[in-house]
Amino acid sequence: KTYLLCALAVCAIRKFYTVKYIKASSLINEATAAALEGKIIEYENRMISYDLLIIDDFGFMSLGNSECLRIFEILDGRSARKSTAVASQLPRESWYDLFQDNTYADACMDRLTKGAYKIELFGPSLR
């Protein structure tokens, strides 16, 4: 999954698009730190500004109410304007369970899945 995301990133960069690759847990940690420093708007705007945002290892993080809000704000700002790629070990159907708040779960999943391409990989690890 990571290999495929990185290949997409290389293709986008070669076409002069801006790309940000980040693990989901790092995205949450950085957003939380920015909120504590009073710089959350700047952080969200930076994440929204990339042409392609790649979020890897989605599902290996805790999504309490504040984390749900951070993810939602970023996804909402990117929705229908910018591309977002997400990789996870978990099947997409179980992503709802990651969110503590069902309203945020519905809102985030809507922004992640509307018009999305779903690629399921099978076979041995490339590691």
Side-chain angles (χ1 to χ4, degrees):
K1 296 173 301 299
T2 300
Y3 179 86
L4 181 59
L5 290 178
C6 289
L8 288 171
V10 168
C11 289
I13 290 167
R14 287 183 178 165
K15 293 184 180 261
F16 304 102
Y17 290 105
T18 58
V19 177
K20 173 71 173 181
Y21 169 92
I22 191 165
K23 292 194 177 281
S25 58
S26 295
L27 179 69
I28 295 297
N29 291 338
E30 288 179 9
T32 300
L36 291 173
E37 294 171 8
K39 299 180 180 179
I40 191 61
I41 300 297
E42 293 89 344
Y43 182 79
E44 289 172 352
N45 286 338
R46 189 168 63 250
M47 292 300 111
I48 291 167
S49 72
Y50 294 105
D51 295 314
L52 172 59
L53 177 63
I54 297 172
I55 304 172
D56 200 1
D57 291 334
F58 190 79
F60 293 118
M61 70 286 188
S62 174
L63 292 174
N65 284 338
S66 62
E67 292 84 9
C68 290
L69 172 63
R70 304 290 170 238
I71 292 280
F72 171 76
E73 291 296 334
I74 292 168
L75 294 176
D76 187 56
R78 300 183 58 74
S79 183
R81 292 183 289 270
K82 305 283 184 159
S83 297
T84 304
V86 179
S88 178
Q89 294 279 11
L90 303 173
R92 188 174 61 173
E93 297 78 30
S94 65
W95 289 6
Y96 279 94
D97 299 333
L98 299 172
F99 295 85
Q100 187 177 28
D101 183 291
N102 290 338
T103 303
Y104 278 125
D106 287 337
C108 289
M109 291 305 295
D110 181 61
R111 281 150 183 82
L112 281 173
T113 59
K114 185 175 181 181
Y117 295 96
K118 180 182 174 186
I119 301 171
E120 289 189 48
L121 302 177
F122 302 96
S125 173
L126 295 177
R127 288 191 188 102

